[in-house]
């Protein structure tokens, strides 16, 4: 009597209000208590990604549920899929340490990779880095040179990300490995600031695509059910 498409659309749309409520509650409890930047460009960008996160994991669950034969099977498959995605998104294992076989394909098709990288860029990129005393590299420059003179060429080359705290001293040069957050993020395969919105946009594409797969999976399941009945 009823077509399957409105049913699926209703299942998806009906979840948006409570997903938004969950996103607001999670965001308020987490973002501001961590002392993250409160300016609109930082806080607003992160809130957008949090909303997309709510949609993303729900869409993945709905996609799995749309084709699995029963709730028990879906409850077994869903953790397997989520665990796999979390394992290869660059958080559990940094990009440089992921085995090459997985690094060059699994990492790039993982939506959580783009989700986490956009959050890191929005919250960390332009933040100054302040090293603790035990984190500094301390050494003496060459004779008759200041720390700034001694490290001049180094900081113009491979040490461009470093921060020299006492360039005019002639002893005990103190160097911090990073100057700002972006210097650290480049070690995580996040090369430029625009990666934040680029990766957030990719998350949106994943969300739309996975919701599309919900319709596809339900259509395939409906066809399979009709064949079984016939």
């Amino acid at each position: 009597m009823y077509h399957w498409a409105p049913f699926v659309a209703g299942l998806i749309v009906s979840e948006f209000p409570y997903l938004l409520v969950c996103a607001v509650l999670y965001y308020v409890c987490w973002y501001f208590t961590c002392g993250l930047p409160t300016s609109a460009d930082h806080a607003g960008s992160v809130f957008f990604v949090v909303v997309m996160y709510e949609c993303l994991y729900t869409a993945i669950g709905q996609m799995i549920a749309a084709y699995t034969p029963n709730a028990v099977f879906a409850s077994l498959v869903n953790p397997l899929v989520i665990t796999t995605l979390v394992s290869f998104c660059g958080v559990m294992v940094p990009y440089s340490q992921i085995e090459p076989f997985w690094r060059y394909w699994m990492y790039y098709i993982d939506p959580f990779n783009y989700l986490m990288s956009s959050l890191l860029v929005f919250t960390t990129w332009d933040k100054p880095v302040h090293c603790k005393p035990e984190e500094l590299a301390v050494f003496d420059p060459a004779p008759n040179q200041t720390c700034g003179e001694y490290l001049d060429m180094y900081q113009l080359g491979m040490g461009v990300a470093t921060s020299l705290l006492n360039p005019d001293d002639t002893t005990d040069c103190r160097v911090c490995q990073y100057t700002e957050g972006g210097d650290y993020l480049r070690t995580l395969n996040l090369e430029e600031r625009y990666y934040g919105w680029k990766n957030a946009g990719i998350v949106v594409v994943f969300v739309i695509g996975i919701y599309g797969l919900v319709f596809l999976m339900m259509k395939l399941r409906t066809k399979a059910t009709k064949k079984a009945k016939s």
Side-chain angles (χ1 to χ4, degrees), residues 6 9 21 25 33 37 40 48 68 76 111 150-151 166 171 183 195 223:
V21 171
L25 292 175
T33 56
F48 173 78
T68 48
L76 295 174
Y150 181 64
L151 293 176
N166 54 337
T171 59
D183 300 323
Y195 276 38
K223 290 178 65 176

Side-chain angles (χ1 to χ4, degrees), residues 101-115:
F101 174 78
W102 302 104
R103 184 193 309 164
Y104 297 118
W105 68 279
M106 189 66 186
Y107 176 83
Y108 291 101
I109 65 171
D110 189 339
F112 287 103
N113 159 34
Y114 302 100
L115 180 86

Side-chain angles (χ1 to χ4, degrees), residues 79-144:
L80 176 63
V81 173
I82 296 297
T83 301
T84 302
L85 294 177
V86 170
S87 299
F88 292 100
C89 72
V91 174
M92 302 294 289
V93 182
Y95 173 79
S96 60
Q97 297 179 25
I98 299 176
E99 289 295 324
F101 174 78
W102 302 104
R103 184 193 309 164
Y104 297 118
W105 68 279
M106 189 66 186
Y107 176 83
Y108 291 101
I109 65 171
D110 189 339
F112 287 103
N113 159 34
Y114 302 100
L115 180 86
M116 294 305 303
S117 61
S118 60
L119 288 176
L120 284 171
V121 171
F122 290 147
T123 57
T124 310
W125 186 269
D126 55 355
K127 299 297 108 180
V129 175
H130 303 287
C131 288
K132 296 179 180 179
E134 61 270 20
E135 296 173 334
L136 296 172
V138 181
F139 53 89
D140 291 330
N144 302 319

Side-chain angles (χ1 to χ4, degrees), residues 12 37-38 49-50 85 111 119 123 153 175-176 187 195 213-214 225:
I12 294 174
T38 56
V49 176
V50 170
L85 294 177
L119 288 176
T123 57
M153 295 304 297
V175 178
C176 183
T187 67
Y195 276 38
L213 287 176
V214 175
T225 303

